[in-house]
Amino acid sequence: MTDHQSLKNAFLFRQPILNRQQELAGYQLSFGSSAAMTAPPAGAAAALCAAYSELGMQSALGHSCAFIGIDTEFLQQEAIELLPPAGVVLELLLDGVADRATLTRCQSLRARGYTLALPDYRGIDDRSRPLLPMLGVIKIDVDTADASQLRDLAGSLRKLPIRLLAQGVGNGEQMEHCRNLGFELFQGRYFAQAEIVSGRRLSASQAALIHLVNLVGRDVETALIEDAFKHEPALTLNLLRVVNTVGCRGSRLAQPVTSLRHAITLFGRRQLQRWLSLLLLAPPGHAADPSRSPLLQVAALRGRMMELLIELGPPGNHRHLSELAFITGILSMMPVALGLPIEEILEQIAVERAVRNALCEHGGLLGNILALLESFDNDDAPGCDRLLSTLPGHFDHQTLNTCLSIALRWLNGGSE
């Protein structure tokens, strides 16, 4: 199978990698397909690097690094040097002890500015010892090591200038334990595994945001929205800051915006609703900045990808759904952010019937696309294949991969 064929017949999955501040530091990129495989197919590393280049992932990821698995065969190829040293971490997929050619190549790549990572670290042994001087990251799987083993593995590297990455982190407790052991990077979707409790009370700030989302969504007069903002001074200042910082649709403003009514009009109702919805997902005391919050990143990406997939479908009746797609993606992450079941959230937020049906029952075209992107976020290739086949139009693996790249570029300040 050629690299191009691999790109067309597999999904490009991404798993977030967070730093100690719980901010997005990068993504582990991998291919997934419905075919049952016990090991990566031959040429998978080359195909993954080809996908990185073909989809423009360097610009799409912005300041986030891509962790890419490199097998010993591809390690020796010159094509690897087409990858940007500042944008990737090369993860060495070694079956056993590295031979002289592998060590020489690693030294050369490190001298060129590439960061090398070693997965499946099991302690200082014949496999890891010769590589230690060249490594920037070591990955330890928390699922295969108990608390004592984790402490010993981390302790063996404490004096070396190597960042430790905890792989397979399943919850916040695991993350905090690894953090206390000196780990600097954490891989997994534990940040999206919050406890959902029926009847939980919302904070005053969350209730105020929901009230504003409702006002904007019902398309009431600007005066009513302006009055609601006046009761929330912090939100008002935040809105003025955002409008004056980014300007109107990306263009700089000739004069600062000081009027709340002007800011609301300039921002636009659709953009205002998006911004307020993202604020609901932001950690307390933080702005709605997807580049810093992994939960916001997932929500914004899901919303934008839903828009793109609707737009790529058949014209006509589906066009109205593109206006609802983004808010559907955002709302799908609110149970995690607010700790409430989606049904209770929708009792407080006015949404159209198609949005409610998608969120509660995965019904309709919006619901099918939402289910597809949930499978995509969970690296579920069989689920993605099954749901792709239900969508109207001609959708395939490459469609989804391309939409991911476009959405990432948009999220990182691109124009798409």
Side-chain angles (χ1 to χ4, degrees):
M1 180 180 290
T2 66
D3 297 348
H4 187 69
Q5 288 173 323
S6 296
L7 177 57
K8 292 184 67 174
N9 296 311
F11 298 105
L12 182 61
F13 290 137
R14 72 201 188 282
Q15 191 166 89
I17 294 173
L18 278 57
N19 62 19
R20 288 176 66 85
Q21 289 72 45
Q22 297 306 281
E23 298 169 347
L24 189 70
Y27 285 112
Q28 176 83 54
L29 299 184
S30 62
F31 269 142
S33 71
S34 296
M37 295 181 295
T38 58
L48 189 57
C49 291
Y52 180 92
S53 299
E54 185 171 331
L55 294 173
M57 294 303 289
Q58 180 181 2
S59 61
L61 289 175
H63 297 298
S64 298
C65 275
F67 283 64
I68 299 177
I70 303 295
D71 56 38
T72 52
E73 180 181 352
F74 187 63
L75 185 70
Q76 300 295 340
Q77 297 183 22
E78 292 184 3
I80 201 172
E81 294 172 29
L82 297 175
L83 297 171
V88 298
V89 175
L90 305 180
E91 191 171 320
L92 304 174
L93 305 180
L94 305 178
D95 293 330
V97 177
D99 58 23
R100 183 177 296 275
T102 297
L103 294 174
T104 301
R105 181 59 167 157
C106 288
Q107 288 175 331
S108 173
L109 289 170
R110 184 174 182 272
R112 291 175 179 269
Y114 287 95
T115 299
L116 305 180
L118 182 67
D120 194 26
Y121 177 73
R122 297 182 294 271
I124 299 178
D125 53 18
D126 291 342
R127 173 176 175 266
S128 64
R129 188 177 293 106
L131 290 165
L132 287 177
M134 295 173 275
L135 296 175
V137 177
I138 278 183
K139 302 179 73 172
I140 299 175
D141 193 336
V142 300
D143 286 333
T144 59
D146 59 29
S148 176
Q149 290 171 323
L150 274 178
R151 185 176 59 253
D152 291 342
L153 290 173
S156 67
L157 302 167
R158 186 167 290 126
K159 295 182 179 180
L160 298 177
I162 294 175
R163 290 183 295 168
L164 297 186
L165 186 154
Q167 183 177 2
V169 179
N171 54 58
E173 185 179 351
Q174 267 188 332
M175 184 282 301
E176 192 59 31
H177 177 65
C178 291
R179 192 173 184 270
N180 291 335
L181 292 175
F183 284 80
E184 295 185 39
L185 299 169
F186 311 89
Q187 182 177 336
R189 292 192 174 85
Y190 61 91
F191 60 85
Q193 306 299 322
E195 182 183 10
I196 310 298
V197 179
S198 181
R200 176 177 285 166
R201 292 179 61 86
L202 296 174
S203 68
S205 61
Q206 289 169 334
L209 277 170
I210 285 178
H211 176 58
L212 278 163
V213 169
N214 276 330
L215 287 176
V216 176
R218 290 201 301 266
D219 204 26
V220 301
E221 293 182 4
T222 301
L224 290 175
I225 300 174
E226 184 181 10
D227 182 66
F229 264 102
K230 287 177 179 177
H231 288 85
E232 301 296 330
L235 269 180
T236 298
L237 290 173
N238 204 355
L239 174 62
L240 291 171
R241 179 187 62 80
V242 169
V243 171
N244 281 299
T245 298
V246 303
C248 182
R249 293 173 175 82
S251 60
R252 287 292 176 181
L253 299 170
Q255 294 180 338
V257 175
T258 56
S259 159
L260 185 53
R261 179 180 290 267
H262 187 196
I264 293 170
T265 303
L266 197 62
F267 213 22
R269 295 296 181 93
R270 189 178 180 188
Q271 186 66 17
L272 183 59
Q273 188 181 38
R274 289 182 174 189
W275 179 69
L276 290 169
S277 300
L278 283 172
L279 278 177
L280 268 172
L281 299 175
H286 290 73
D289 182 1
S291 68
R292 299 176 68 85
S293 166
L295 191 63
L296 281 175
Q297 178 105 177
V298 172
L301 275 176
R302 186 177 289 178
R304 181 60 181 136
M305 288 185 72
M306 287 191 69
E307 280 185 326
L308 291 167
L309 289 168
I310 289 286
E311 291 165 4
L312 289 172
N317 295 334
H318 298 320
R319 286 185 175 176
H320 173 61
L321 293 181
S322 68
E323 298 180 2
L324 306 177
F326 189 90
I327 195 66
T328 303
I330 294 294
L331 288 172
S332 71
M333 297 303 297
M334 281 192 184
V336 175
L338 303 182
L340 283 169
I342 188 64
E343 292 79 9
E344 292 186 22
I345 294 172
L346 294 182
E347 288 174 3
Q348 304 174 65
I349 297 180
V351 298
E352 292 199 25
R353 182 177 299 176
V355 176
R356 178 181 294 274
N357 191 28
L359 292 167
C360 295
E361 301 177 19
H362 284 143
L365 181 58
L366 280 178
N368 287 340
I369 292 178
L370 175 60
L372 168 65
L373 294 181
E374 288 173 344
S375 293
F376 192 52
D377 285 341
N378 289 320
D379 299 354
D380 178 8
C384 287
D385 273 326
R386 176 177 54 81
L387 290 160
L388 273 176
S389 67
T390 68
L391 296 181
H394 301 287
F395 295 100
D396 57 15
H397 303 73
Q398 195 167 10
T399 303
L400 205 54
N401 295 340
T402 301
C403 284
L404 170 63
S405 177
I406 293 172
L408 280 167
R409 191 172 294 109
W410 165 81
L411 196 62
N412 284 296
S415 58
E416 294 177 271

